[in-house]
Each structure stands twice: as structure tokens, then as C-alpha cells.
């Protein structure tokens, strides 16, 4: 069953989990048949309108694509409000509060940090390191920007994964673990 909530947002609900996600991709109604859809690995100058056919423009598009992440949220917070001023009608996914229905959306990498043993931050905060006798003293942190209707708060963030480089069905991409929401603003619809 597909659910579409009209408004100023996009996300996909998959009642059948991961298998349902692949079906939704094939059955997408947003652009029927996706006749003009070009996988980023195949995208070239000829696909751009003539006035934008420039190597710099092509590289910009490919770079932005490389910074885009697939976000998979496996829980909907009980704290989602019924409504907020920036949305007409009910706030997205209010009716699925407390459920573990898979919801997907996208985001983009906005900041990357590398921590080393010389930093004051201690050891890697990931779950694997926190339960290890020898946690890593070198790790990275990737900050993702997305809309609050995709990831609303920390309870959703703890049940969220991000996939970087998900454009090619032959390559599963690089999984990133999401641990917390740094800031959220439902008026701007970003976290």
C-alpha cells in the first residue's frame, strides 16, 4: 500500500520493508515511466540543455549527486506534532507515530569532521567502539542535512541509517550510522 501525503514534502512509506522500497522505485508515479531519468553514472554533457553544456556544470551536478544520501527511517516518533504553521493540514507521518514502518527520503552531506587521538574528544562514539575494549581513537563524523518530516528527533535518528553513493544498483553504497539530531526547525523543515 502506498501512501501519498500532499504538501511541501516528499518521502516514501514502505509497509513491506526493504523489498517494498525496490518495488516503489520501479512503480514510481512522480514521473511516470521515468522516461527522462538518467542514472548519474550515465549522465553526460549531452543530457544538459545546450545553454548549460559546460564541463564545470557537469562536474557540479556529479559532485552534488555524490553528496546525496538515501535516508532510511525505521521508526516514527511519538513526539511528532499533529500540525505546525508551515504545513497546511496534518504534519507528515503524524498518523504513523510509534510505528516501525520504513520511511525513506534523501539528504545531503553538509559537513565532515575527522577526529584523531590528538583531539580532546576521546574515542569513537559508535556502538561498536563503545562496546569494545579497544575503541578507535581515530574516527569521522558526517553531518547530514535533511528535512524534519524525514527525521524529526533523536528517537527517529537512533532508528535511521544513511547510504552514501546509492546511485548504482550494482553497488550497495556506504552505510553511515545516524546517532542524533543536532538541530531541527519545523518552520524551515530541516534538521
Amino acid at each position: 500500500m502506498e501512501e501519498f501525503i500532499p504538501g511541501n514534502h516528499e518521502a516514501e512509506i514502505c509497509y513491506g520493508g526493504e523489498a517494498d522500497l525496490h518495488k516503489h522505485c520501479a512503480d514510481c508515479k512522480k514521473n511516470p515511466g521515468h522516461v527522462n531519468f538518467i542514472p548519474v553514472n550515465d549522465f553526460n554533457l549531452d543530457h544538459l540543455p545546450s545553454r548549460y553544456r559546460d564541463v564545470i556544470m557537469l562536474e557540479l551536478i556529479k559532485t552534488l549527486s555524490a553528496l546525496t544520501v538515501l535516508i532510511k527511517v525505521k521508526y516514527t516518533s511519538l513526539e511528532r506534532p499533529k500540525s505546525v504553521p508551515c504545513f497546511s493540514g496534518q504534519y507528515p507521518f503524524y498518523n504513523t507515530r510509534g510505528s516501525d514502518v520504513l520511511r525513506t527520503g534523501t539528504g545531503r552531506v553538509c559537513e565532515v569532521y575527522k577526529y584523531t587521538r590528538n583531539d580532546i574528544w576521546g574515542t569513537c562514539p559508535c556502538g561498536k567502539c563503545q562496546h569494545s575494549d579497544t575503541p578507535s581513537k581515530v574516527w569521522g563524523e558526517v553531518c547530514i542535512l535533511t528535512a524534519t518530516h524525514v527525521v524529526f528527533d533523536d528517537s527517529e535518528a537512533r532508528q535511521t541509517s544513511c547510504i552514501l553513493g546509492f546511485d548504482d544498483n550494482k553497488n550497495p553504497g556506504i552505510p553511515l550510522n545516524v546517532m542524533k539530531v543536532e538541530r531541527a526547525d519545523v518552520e524551515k523543515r530541516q534538521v
Side-chain angles (χ1 to χ4, degrees):
M1 172 157 94
E2 183 175 334
E3 181 174 326
F4 174 74
I5 303 167
N8 233 355
H9 62 278
E10 283 189 9
E12 186 76 49
I13 291 184
C14 301
Y15 291 98
E18 291 286 332
D20 206 27
L21 177 60
H22 298 293
K23 179 187 176 302
H24 283 300
C25 183
D27 295 343
C28 180
K29 305 267 187 298
K30 186 167 68 171
N31 183 3
H34 269 175
V35 293
N36 296 320
F37 178 78
I38 302 144
V40 70
N41 295 334
D42 298 336
F43 194 79
N44 63 52
L45 285 173
D46 295 330
H47 296 113
L48 291 169
S50 58
R51 68 186 228 188
Y52 296 106
R53 284 189 189 140
D54 181 87
V55 173
I56 293 172
M57 181 64 74
L58 178 65
E59 289 304 312
L60 173 64
I61 291 167
K62 290 193 175 224
T63 300
L64 291 173
S65 173
L67 295 173
T68 300
V69 296
L70 171 64
I71 299 174
K72 298 178 182 180
V73 185
K74 297 178 181 174
Y75 174 73
T76 303
S77 173
L78 292 169
E79 301 303 317
R80 278 186 178 252
K82 185 170 185 175
S83 64
V84 293
C86 63
F87 284 100
S88 61
Q90 189 168 282
Y91 191 71
F93 313 112
Y94 174 80
N95 285 340
T96 61
R97 291 175 308 141
S99 75
D100 61 356
V101 174
L102 175 65
R103 178 176 65 256
T104 62
T106 57
R108 70 172 171 84
V109 173
C110 62
E111 296 174 356
V112 178
Y113 301 100
K114 180 179 180 183
Y115 299 100
T116 65
R117 58 183 57 78
N118 297 326
D119 291 327
I120 60 170
W121 303 107
T123 60
C124 175
C126 82
K128 183 178 177 183
C129 284
Q130 292 299 302
H131 295 96
S132 170
D133 292 334
T134 57
S136 180
K137 293 181 180 179
V138 177
W139 77 95
E141 179 179 280
V142 179
C143 297
I144 306 296
L145 178 68
T146 191
T148 54
H149 74 270
V150 177
V151 180
F152 184 75
D153 62 12
D154 281 339
S155 67
E156 291 184 6
R158 286 189 294 273
Q159 298 294 317
T160 296
S161 62
C162 294
I163 309 295
L164 186 63
F166 65 96
D167 299 304
D168 186 344
N169 288 336
K170 299 171 191 155
N171 180 350
I174 301 165
L176 304 172
N177 296 317
V178 175
M179 294 184 198
K180 62 183 176 180
V181 171
E182 286 291 325
R183 60 190 173 274
D185 184 337
V186 293
E187 294 296 321
K188 291 183 180 177
R189 297 180 301 276
Q190 297 178 3
V191 294

